[in-house]
Amino acid sequence: MPESLSARNIVKRYGGVVALSDGNLDVHTGEVVALIGANGSGKSTMSKVINGVVVLDGGQLLLDNNPVHWSSPQAAKNLGIATVFQELSLIPQMTVAENIWLTREPMTAIGTVNRKVLHEKTEELLSLFRGTYKVDLHPDDPIVSLPSDEKQIIEILKAISFDPWLIILDEATASLDSRQVQRLFELVEDWKEAGKAIIFVSHRMEEIFRIADRYSVLRNGKTVGAGDMKDVSEKELVKLMIEKESVFEYIRKDSKNGENEEKPVCLEVKELQTVTLKGINFSVREGELVGIGGLRGQGQRELLHSLFGDVPYSGTVKLFGNGYKFKHPREAMQIGLALVPGDRGREGLLSIRSILDNLQLPSWPRYGFPLRIKKAKRDAEQVGESLNLKMAGLEEPVSSLSGGNAQKVVLGKWLVRKPKLFLLDDPTKGVDVGTKAEIYSLLTQLCDEGKTILFYSSDDEELIGLCDRVLVLHDGIIRTELSGPSLTKENLISASLGVSNGFHPESRTGGTL
Amino acid sequence: MKRFSVSPPVAALILAIVLFLLSGFLPNSYGSNVDIAIAQATNIVRLAVFLGVIAAGQTLVIISGSEGIDLSAGSVVTLTAILTYVYVSGENDRVLIALLISLGVGAVIGMLNGIGVTFLKVSPFVMTLGMSGVVTGAIIVVNHGTVSGRIAPIMTRLIARPVSPSIPIPGAVVIWLIFGVLMWLLLERTAFGKNLFAIGVNRVTAKLSGVNVTWTNLATYSLAGALAGFGGFLLVGNTGVVHIQLGQPFLFPSIAAVAVGGTLLSGGKGSYWGTMAGAIVLTLITSLLTTMQMPDSVRRMVLGGTLLILISIYGRQRSLRL
């Protein structure tokens, strides 16, 4: 069994995007190393380099100080490196036992699967978490019938079944409840004693301090700090994660906070609950640009989609002074809402249809029968011009556009309708710098015209640079509201990670409620 | 980097014309006699009308995506043909009501398909195949295998005969042209048509852009059923007789005509002009092979081969342009 693994000066590029420029990590048997960083700092890429899922473009991996190279994820697995994936790698139609032992099924003498041994070995693994299951788990339960926390446990057990010496826990606790996390941590202690090494990737500061012995901080693809947990405080870690000089060029108009005070409330949300949201309260005034912050997957998407009538929820939503409960996005559109979804290709565009069809999709019923195509074209043309949309013609397929221009189409199809409240789900994701700047000025221009914008971004700088206020979501609730002088990157990241010190307690429940 | 490319409907139409001109050299064909050539061409288009109309509903469900297909079209054609035949019983003044019955019965069957596909989440293939069986069974039960009736003279006059002695174009062809314009209007000049293409490409995007996906899907299947019903009405007006297998031979050609016309079988892109061209090509090839006195086995092979070649060419064009 190896005793240590080191990553030295790792470089990894995806196309033109540099995910890691100088990643470093050391891990030894008998210890837990926490891999920490903000959104997009390269944590996931780092784990994928270590477990051989991606091929590195530069740098070196050392196993017991000897260079190694993984030709495939299987090669890393064979040398005892197992990963608990964040995106579940289980096959839904197969049973618990089949999933855990896939490709390594115990065989009988005649070459069939030995179900008895399979059962016994699976039961043995399942007993590790016995007592934390909602309903008792059996080896023959199909994965599809399990809740997400139990799927995550199976994922953990699958990794353990390889009997690895190094275990990478990539956000493994995100969907577990506190009892399950407790059990996992007990197991981690056992593994440490048994001479295993653990890399713990997590966003939860509290957990990092509970379990980790050492830390390694990534920022923008670089390792910027490492050391013993006992020598460091939460605040110091957060500081390491934040860039010193800001590259953000957008300058916010500071005078806006005051002048919106007299404007009427345009959106009021009370106790909004869904599967992931656990009671959201806030209100937004007309003309405000309110940001939604927090780590990915804390319920931001669901909040925007439920306001738009796409996801069922409980609670009350008041828009422009009236209560609504939309059953379909069409109803939300009709009173002046617009949603720019987070996944452009899957939720925002009709790839093979023309730019015209994409821009006018929500608005066709306005053009009568037979559709006044010429007028539709003129309107689309106008929106295209106002957005500086670069295209060969309205009849070209939208798939011929670059990412930035395609995003302009997704925005543009709402501008045709002149909505009053925009719900934006990470609208600058995967968009070039030039288009980003254009989107920023469009957003402020819309606010100046009296439109209201609710804006989620995975880019903290954007939130700070653009928004009047930022609501930080964590674990399905608004953990903190930041505005004015408290809207700093440090506060934003601390709040995202669920660190609660350093804020005024009165701002902890969101909004003007 | 604009490259020369022909849209599938045009390609199919050119193919049809070339094939027809080449067929002049075949034995038993029109040779150098222009009058016979025109008469033959007219006849082929007339025969294509019925396939073309039956394939209209097929075009809609295929555009609607999510593996949309209507395998019950053939049996609906048979059913409404028999209903028309029995109900009209040679009376001119019953024809209009028979038409409405055909459309209505077709629409109800289509709606049942739509309910199964939309709400019960049965795959369109299974749902419409099952419906086809049910409808065929129902025809047998109701008629005990025999029917008595007669079509009305006015149907023969409007569908099977030329428009007037001086204009030798069959009524069916004129009906088809009007029908084609209506289909174009539906697909290209109504919000419903635009929504239909949208759900065919991406139902999530469609819903988030305010399209009522459920309703659009249900309406599409209902409409497809009604169009198949219309096909049955037209067909019996031409044949003048009915039998239990009247519609079934049109089923697979109706899907083939849609594909030859360049409509994406995965949905979201296509046109009825294409389907019309496709129907003409398929009818032409069949009648040419019949003229050449080819056995049925060869006819099937040639039809299948043509289909494969055309569709693989379309696929290639698309991948080059993207």
Side-chain angles (χ1 to χ4, degrees):
Chain A
M1 277 281 154
E3 283 181 351
S4 75
L5 183 118
S6 306
R8 295 260 182 278
N9 314 107
I10 301 294
V11 179
K12 175 66 199 170
R13 284 180 290 264
Y14 293 108
V17 181
V18 181
L20 280 176
S21 54
D22 183 13
N24 293 280
L25 187 74
D26 286 290
V27 58
H28 302 270
T29 51
E31 67 173 8
V32 178
V33 178
L35 184 57
I36 315 170
N39 280 337
S41 58
K43 298 187 300 288
S44 284
T45 311
M46 194 69 184
S47 355
K48 285 180 187 160
V49 166
I50 292 169
N51 64 26
V53 170
V54 299
V55 180
L56 41 95
D57 297 321
Q60 219 169 22
L61 283 177
L62 303 171
L63 195 64
D64 284 342
N65 296 320
N66 300 315
V68 281
H69 171 76
W70 308 133
S71 53
S72 71
Q74 202 55 47
K77 241 181 219 171
N78 292 342
L79 280 168
I81 298 176
T83 314
V84 177
F85 288 98
Q86 178 185 357
E87 298 133 34
L88 300 166
S89 69
L90 304 173
I91 299 166
Q93 292 80 7
M94 294 173 79
T95 67
V96 168
E98 286 166 344
N99 261 290
I100 293 178
W101 301 104
L102 190 63
T103 72
R104 300 168 296 140
E105 295 86 354
M107 290 297 177
T108 60
I110 55 162
T112 57
V113 174
N114 189 335
R115 300 208 73 91
K116 194 160 159 277
V117 177
L118 187 74
H119 242 258
E120 283 164 9
K121 289 171 83 172
T122 311
E123 282 288 1
E124 201 180 303
L125 282 174
L126 285 172
S127 68
L128 290 176
F129 276 89
R130 188 75 69 213
T132 70
Y133 306 125
K134 288 177 188 79
V135 188
D136 215 19
L137 260 182
H138 294 287
D140 290 332
D141 292 341
I143 292 294
V144 71
S145 69
L146 305 185
S148 61
D149 53 336
E150 294 184 359
K151 283 184 200 157
Q152 185 68 63
I153 288 174
I154 303 302
E155 195 81 43
I156 295 169
L157 297 179
K158 185 177 168 187
I160 301 303
S161 71
F162 287 88
D163 193 25
W165 72 272
L166 172 61
I167 304 163
I168 304 172
L169 295 169
D170 188 355
E171 303 278 353
T173 58
S175 51
L176 300 185
D177 67 30
S178 56
R179 238 168 10 134
Q180 294 162 335
V181 171
Q182 180 58 37
R183 179 63 59 87
L184 175 63
F185 286 0
E186 287 164 20
L187 290 171
V188 168
E189 292 295 337
D190 293 346
W191 298 336
K192 260 166 72 173
E193 303 235 320
K196 294 185 196 298
I198 294 107
I199 297 175
F200 185 67
V201 184
S202 176
H203 285 309
R204 296 183 180 170
M205 275 291 171
E206 178 259 322
E207 291 179 356
I208 291 166
F209 276 89
R210 248 168 83 191
I211 196 74
D213 302 303
R214 293 196 305 111
Y215 66 89
S216 175
V217 180
L218 278 167
R219 185 207 304 150
N220 274 346
K222 276 198 182 84
T223 301
V224 291
D228 281 343
M229 288 305 291
K230 59 182 189 305
D231 304 332
V232 76
S233 71
E234 274 188 15
K235 272 200 162 163
E236 286 169 303
L237 279 183
V238 169
K239 223 172 203 143
L240 271 174
M241 292 159 61
I242 304 166
E243 283 166 83
K244 286 182 188 71
E245 70 275 25
S246 169
V247 289
F248 200 79
E249 285 163 21
Y250 193 81
I251 303 147
R252 182 161 46 114
K253 283 177 284 174
D254 282 314
S255 59
K256 282 195 72 178
N257 285 329
E259 73 190 52
N260 280 327
E261 297 279 297
E262 315 93 60
K263 293 271 180 63
V265 171
C266 124
L267 167 66
E268 199 177 337
V269 177
K270 274 188 194 156
E271 280 305 312
L272 189 146
Q273 297 191 353
T274 66
V275 180
T276 41
L277 299 173
K278 301 163 186 159
I280 298 282
N281 296 290
F282 68 96
S283 67
V284 178
R285 284 176 190 281
E286 214 170 80
E288 266 193 307
L289 205 172
V290 174
I292 302 174
L295 300 163
R296 259 181 218 124
Q298 303 296 313
Q300 294 97 337
R301 177 184 188 278
E302 221 165 282
L303 174 58
L304 295 172
H305 281 248
S306 45
L307 291 178
F308 198 58
D310 183 42
V311 169
Y313 61 88
S314 64
T316 54
V317 174
K318 266 182 150 180
L319 285 152
F320 318 113
N322 304 312
Y324 289 99
K325 193 146 203 174
F326 304 126
K327 289 190 202 69
H328 192 279
R330 189 171 27 107
E331 299 166 11
M333 276 164 48
Q334 277 161 357
I335 65 151
L337 266 65
L339 172 79
V340 172
D343 190 331
R344 196 159 54 231
R346 280 190 42 237
E347 305 173 328
L349 293 172
L350 304 171
S351 53
I352 57 173
R353 302 299 300 176
S354 69
I355 295 168
L356 176 71
D357 280 353
N358 273 279
L359 281 172
Q360 292 292 8
L361 179 60
S363 313
W364 285 119
R366 294 181 164 192
Y367 292 94
F369 170 81
L371 296 172
R372 282 167 294 155
I373 291 287
K374 275 193 189 136
K375 181 161 185 340
K377 275 188 181 162
R378 271 201 309 276
D379 293 350
E381 201 88 51
Q382 245 172 30
V383 165
E385 270 166 34
S386 75
L387 285 170
N388 190 23
L389 179 63
K390 289 184 191 69
M391 56 175 175
L394 282 171
E395 299 301 330
E396 294 296 308
V398 80
S399 55
S400 68
L401 297 175
S402 68
N405 280 305
Q407 185 68 350
K408 285 181 185 174
V409 172
V410 180
L411 271 162
K413 73 173 166 195
W414 298 114
L415 295 183
V416 175
R417 300 178 61 86
K418 304 192 172 40
K420 291 183 277 188
L421 172 62
F422 288 81
L423 309 168
L424 311 178
D425 184 359
D426 219 353
T428 59
K429 190 171 67 187
V431 161
D432 58 287
V433 183
T435 309
K436 272 189 189 178
E438 289 178 64
I439 291 177
Y440 299 152
S441 62
L442 172 72
L443 297 187
T444 39
Q445 185 201 327
L446 287 169
C447 282
D448 290 344
E449 289 168 9
K451 318 274 191 197
T452 316
I453 297 174
L454 198 56
F455 171 57
Y456 164 66
S457 174
S458 57
D459 183 344
D460 296 332
E461 306 239 347
E462 264 176 29
L463 292 173
I464 295 165
L466 279 170
C467 298
D468 303 317
R469 291 189 283 143
V470 175
L471 314 170
V472 184
L473 259 71
H474 181 82
D475 264 350
I477 58 161
I478 295 178
R479 177 59 74 110
T480 311
E481 181 184 326
L482 302 169
S483 67
S486 74
L487 183 48
T488 64
K489 189 149 192 203
E490 189 170 352
N491 284 347
L492 192 53
I493 290 187
S494 306
S496 306
L497 298 174
V499 181
S500 47
N501 54 351
F503 300 113
H504 312 293
E506 65 267 22
S507 66
R508 287 201 47 175
T509 50
T512 51
L513 297 169
Chain B
M1 207 191 72
K2 197 84 178 158
R3 60 187 286 284
F4 176 75
S5 63
V6 202
S7 72
V10 178
L13 209 59
I14 292 173
L15 178 74
I17 292 167
V18 170
L19 277 177
F20 182 73
L21 293 178
L22 286 178
S23 72
F25 300 107
L26 294 173
N28 307 327
S29 186
Y30 57 82
S32 56
N33 189 331
V34 178
D35 284 346
I36 298 179
I38 290 173
Q40 257 188 24
T42 313
N43 198 37
I44 284 164
V45 174
R46 187 179 67 92
L47 287 175
V49 169
F50 307 101
L51 176 56
V53 171
I54 293 163
Q58 202 68 259
T59 310
L60 297 183
V61 291
I62 287 176
I63 288 175
S64 81
S66 298
E67 293 153 15
I69 201 156
D70 185 2
L71 298 179
S72 67
S75 57
V76 171
V77 167
T78 310
L79 175 64
T80 59
I82 290 176
L83 286 177
T84 304
Y85 186 76
V86 172
Y87 179 77
V88 169
S89 300
E91 308 271 343
N92 274 346
D93 46 8
R94 287 187 169 188
V95 169
L96 194 62
I97 295 171
L99 173 62
L100 294 177
I101 290 174
S102 298
L103 292 172
V105 167
V108 168
I109 294 168
M111 196 174 70
L112 293 176
N113 281 331
I115 289 170
V117 170
T118 320
F119 296 110
L120 308 178
K121 314 277 179 218
V122 185
S123 94
F125 191 96
V126 174
M127 184 66 217
T128 56
L129 186 63
M131 186 56 76
S132 173
V134 171
V135 172
T136 308
I139 297 169
I140 296 171
V141 169
V142 171
N143 295 301
H144 310 291
T146 54
V147 288
S148 63
R150 196 153 55 84
I151 62 163
I154 192 169
M155 290 172 75
T156 319
R157 175 72 196 84
L158 287 176
I159 297 167
R161 298 273 154 73
V163 178
S164 76
S166 54
I167 312 168
I169 302 170
V173 175
V174 177
I175 294 173
W176 197 27
L177 280 175
I178 298 168
F179 183 78
V181 172
L182 291 177
M183 284 294 289
W184 173 80
L185 271 174
L186 177 77
L187 283 172
E188 299 294 335
R189 287 294 180 270
T190 63
F192 170 79
K194 294 292 185 183
N195 291 349
L196 175 59
F197 284 116
I199 70 166
V201 184
N202 185 333
R203 295 195 171 190
V204 180
T205 299
K207 185 185 178 197
L208 289 178
S209 300
V211 176
N212 192 333
V213 176
T214 308
W215 187 87
T216 308
N217 207 36
L218 197 59
T220 304
Y221 276 90
S222 309
L223 195 55
L227 292 176
F230 181 56
F233 174 85
L234 275 189
L235 188 62
V236 73
N238 184 59
T239 55
V241 290
V242 288
H243 56 92
I244 201 89
Q245 284 296 325
L246 187 67
Q248 214 58 34
F250 286 94
L251 176 60
F252 287 101
S254 79
I255 300 164
V258 175
V260 169
T263 295
L264 282 188
L265 291 180
S266 51
K269 195 173 192 179
S271 69
Y272 185 61
W273 300 130
T275 302
M276 289 172 85
I280 292 173
V281 170
L282 293 178
T283 312
L284 176 68
I285 294 173
T286 315
S287 59
L288 286 187
L289 294 170
T290 314
T291 315
M292 288 161 71
Q293 291 166 344
M294 288 292 171
D296 189 47
S297 55
V298 176
R299 288 215 298 266
R300 283 165 192 257
M301 281 192 278
V302 173
L303 271 175
T306 316
L307 204 61
L308 283 177
I309 291 166
L310 277 173
I311 292 173
S312 58
I313 291 173
Y314 295 159
R316 182 164 283 266
Q317 262 194 347
R318 247 193 340 278
S319 61
L320 280 177
R321 257 186 271 138
L322 283 179

